[in-house]
Amino acid sequence: EAAHLLEVGICVDPTAGVHFAAGEPGVGRPLLPEERPCGGPFFRFASVPDMLVEGVRLSIEVDFDAEVFRLRNVPPVADGNGVQQPIPLAAWLRERERATLRKARPRGELECSLFRAEAEHLHDLVRRGALDGDLAGAVLGDDGATVALGRFRRLSPEEFAEPYHFYIVLPAGMEVEIF
């Protein structure tokens, strides 16, 4: 019954805090102002308790290039349980990129309704063709004006250098070897 307390995943910025709240699915912390629930600091590999087989190792493979993860038993169990298809990680990674963009902007840009209205006006002028050329490029290329409207660009690997950490939460008395 204690297996439901087992949690494995990846997280960002563990120094920002960790808590275990009653009624919540596991490890967490309050979201920072730039974070949203679907891109919070913890990404749980939710099916880990279903994969547990005593005496069998659990392998967790994360492919950041393909934006997927896979859990499997090593060696494979006889009935074939424990073999999973790749599970997408892309939505969480996109939301982490968005949090990075929001964090890089001055707080006033995200909260100021006047700034947001001006950004909407400029984007509308570009859409209608009233702004073109370098000026339109400057408006569309400005992260402040696009982030304030909830539009985001993909970050290059150099811009998006958020370090990831694996984490494990275990019930008392469970032994684990990490390789």
Side-chain angles (χ1 to χ4, degrees):
E1 188 167 316
H4 73 280
L5 297 174
L6 175 67
E7 184 174 302
V8 177
I10 56 176
C11 68
V12 296
D13 197 11
T15 60
V18 174
H19 72 233
F20 294 92
E24 289 188 17
V27 67
R29 71 164 161 73
L31 296 176
L32 299 176
E34 66 273 4
E35 295 175 331
R36 302 296 180 264
C38 59
F42 297 93
F43 185 89
R44 293 168 189 84
F45 303 142
S47 57
V48 170
D50 299 333
M51 301 277 303
L52 289 177
V53 177
E54 189 172 344
V56 176
R57 292 187 175 122
L58 178 66
S59 169
I60 301 167
E61 302 165 356
V62 179
D63 184 343
F64 286 104
D65 292 329
E67 299 179 334
V68 296
F69 72 91
R70 177 178 288 133
L71 305 173
R72 63 185 177 92
N73 287 313
V74 179
V77 282
D79 65 1
N81 275 346
V83 177
Q84 282 194 338
Q85 295 299 315
I87 300 167
L89 193 56
W92 185 75
L93 291 172
R94 290 300 76 71
E95 191 54 43
R96 293 306 312 163
E97 280 185 350
R98 292 176 181 145
T100 298
L101 278 168
R102 282 190 288 267
K103 186 177 184 177
R105 306 309 311 162
R107 183 70 43 221
E109 283 185 3
L110 300 175
E111 297 170 355
C112 178
S113 59
L114 182 60
F115 181 83
R116 202 172 11 259
E118 185 63 23
E120 286 175 12
H121 175 69
L122 290 171
H123 277 263
D124 184 50
L125 289 174
V126 171
R127 192 173 32 261
R128 290 185 289 139
L131 283 179
D132 58 6
D134 290 343
L135 191 52
V139 169
L140 297 174
D142 180 74
D143 282 339
T146 55
V147 170
L149 298 177
R151 300 178 187 142
F152 300 90
R153 66 180 174 85
R154 291 291 307 266
L155 296 176
S156 69
E158 295 78 29
E159 293 174 294
F160 185 54
E162 188 173 53
Y164 298 111
H165 307 270
F166 282 97
Y167 73 91
I168 301 173
V169 178
L170 299 171
M174 183 176 223
E175 293 182 18
V176 170
E177 292 181 45
I178 300 175
F179 298 96

